[in-house]
Amino acid sequence: MQQNTILSVNDLRVSFRAYGGIVQAVRGVSFDLKKGETVAIVGESGSGKSVSTKAIMGILPGNAFIESGSIDYDGLDITKVDEAKMHEIRGHRIGLVFQDPLSALNPIMKVGKQITEVLVRQGMSKQDAHQRALQLMKDVGIPDAERRINQYPFQFSGGMRQRIVIAIALAGDPEILICDEPTTALDVTVQAKILELINQIKEERHLSVLFITHDLGVVAQMADRICVMYAGKIVESGTAEEIFFEPVHPYTWALLSSMPDLETYGRLEAIPGTPPNMIAPPKGDAFAIRNKYALKIDFEQEPPTFRLSDTHYASTWLLHPRAPRVEMPASLRERIQRMKEAAAHAQQ
């Protein structure tokens, strides 16, 4: 693990016991999270993003198991620690913000008590915990916190409930904040406010953030690096600029082409077909059957990972020296040019 790396996932493989066989949900995933950065893991539902997150947090369901690999944090491989140590890590070192705040909150317990319980378990007195909970509610932008600390989750809007969930995640004063689809259940306006809040908290508390989403557009303004995941594998990774402005994998092209923006008119391009059955993963490139640029070898052999720069990697046979030259779609090239111009204008 490099000196400034706070979390390192190495060749992680996670499977599920399911009716009909074993589902290979995560198939050799590796990535690092450095101190103070935001890494986004992006992909469609079923790509293995959330399973990877649950493995990191030690909260895999009973029918799931880690086949191999390691998750290194603070000198420990946390795939091998006992539940007591994992509980300590979840409570103090790594905070988790769930997709649906309603599922994360106890509907019959006042929100203030849900925050103070975390603090009291850490040894804080009830009086100090109450004051700390008030401050956390203010930190995450809950207005009139002195009154609302005694309210129940149903008395808050969806966006305010998510802020409460973030406050609970911050109660342990974590080093890492994992956000698993934290804006999916919210409308666009509220999404933007929650993303702004996460960015603000990251800067104020010097956090490292692992952000899970199916929507590339959500992380455009917040991710330092992006890992694009498909069928249990990371198929392309790089800095945000490399993924948005210099994508090379056809799946990344498809995700970017399906992402709405203010300048796109007419129907967006949908990704054809559906993800593969992971009980019996395809022999070659899992994306081949949905990829109009697929080569014959894509159906026969998995592509290796090609290095484009010190930070940019992709697994596609199109990068092989003997592969035919394939250009990204013209419509996507135009969109990328607009994104570059918008980014340059924003920096002025």
Side-chain angles (χ1 to χ4, degrees), residues 100-115 137 142 147-165 168:
D100 180 7
L102 275 179
S103 67
L105 296 171
N106 186 332
I108 59 172
M109 184 185 291
K110 294 176 181 178
V111 298
K113 184 169 178 56
Q114 296 189 55
I115 302 172
M137 290 180 68
I142 303 291
R147 177 179 64 86
R148 306 209 72 181
I149 196 170
N150 293 311
Q151 293 183 331
Y152 294 91
F154 76 87
Q155 294 175 283
F156 291 79
S157 67
M160 287 296 160
R161 282 194 292 264
Q162 194 61 290
R163 290 172 186 264
I164 295 295
V165 172
I168 293 172

Side-chain angles (χ1 to χ4, degrees), residues 140-298:
V140 298
I142 303 291
D144 196 12
E146 288 82 0
R147 177 179 64 86
R148 306 209 72 181
I149 196 170
N150 293 311
Q151 293 183 331
Y152 294 91
F154 76 87
Q155 294 175 283
F156 291 79
S157 67
M160 287 296 160
R161 282 194 292 264
Q162 194 61 290
R163 290 172 186 264
I164 295 295
V165 172
I166 294 172
I168 293 172
L170 295 175
D173 198 21
E175 294 181 299
I176 299 172
L177 187 65
I178 299 179
C179 302
D180 190 357
E181 299 271 13
T183 62
T184 298
L186 307 174
D187 66 48
V188 175
T189 304
V190 179
Q191 277 187 15
K193 292 179 179 177
I194 294 297
L195 295 174
E196 183 180 348
L197 173 63
I198 292 170
N199 263 339
Q200 175 189 329
I201 289 170
K202 173 199 167 187
E203 295 301 323
E204 291 175 351
R205 293 172 174 256
H206 308 292
L207 294 174
S208 302
V209 176
L210 185 60
F211 198 101
I212 313 299
T213 182
H214 66 276
D215 184 355
L216 256 176
V218 165
V219 297
Q221 302 301 321
M222 64 184 307
D224 298 300
R225 290 188 295 122
I226 297 173
C227 299
V228 179
M229 199 164 177
Y230 184 79
K233 289 181 172 287
I234 292 175
V235 297
E236 184 167 5
S237 63
T239 65
E241 290 80 8
E242 286 167 337
I243 297 301
F244 278 101
F245 299 158
E246 303 168 22
V248 296
H249 198 287
Y251 182 59
T252 311
W253 294 350
L255 288 177
L256 286 166
S257 296
S258 64
M259 183 181 76
D261 68 13
L262 296 175
E263 302 296 328
T264 300
Y265 301 96
R267 295 182 62 182
L268 292 168
E269 293 185 32
I271 304 175
T274 57
N277 179 357
M278 298 311 293
I279 291 178
K283 181 180 178 182
D285 185 342
F287 188 57
I289 197 169
R290 306 173 70 188
N291 177 14
K292 65 182 180 181
Y293 306 103
L295 307 172
K296 182 175 182 291
I297 195 173
D298 282 306

Side-chain angles (χ1 to χ4, degrees), residues 72-123:
D72 298 325
Y73 169 72
D74 196 25
L76 295 172
D77 176 359
I78 58 178
T79 67
K80 294 181 170 59
V81 302
D82 59 27
E83 178 54 30
K85 182 62 178 177
M86 200 64 233
H87 184 75
E88 177 191 336
I89 290 171
R90 285 195 297 266
H92 297 274
R93 317 296 288 278
I94 305 176
L96 177 61
V97 179
F98 293 91
Q99 175 178 342
D100 180 7
L102 275 179
S103 67
L105 296 171
N106 186 332
I108 59 172
M109 184 185 291
K110 294 176 181 178
V111 298
K113 184 169 178 56
Q114 296 189 55
I115 302 172
T116 57
E117 278 199 341
V118 177
L119 298 164
V120 169
R121 284 199 300 267
Q122 297 171 14

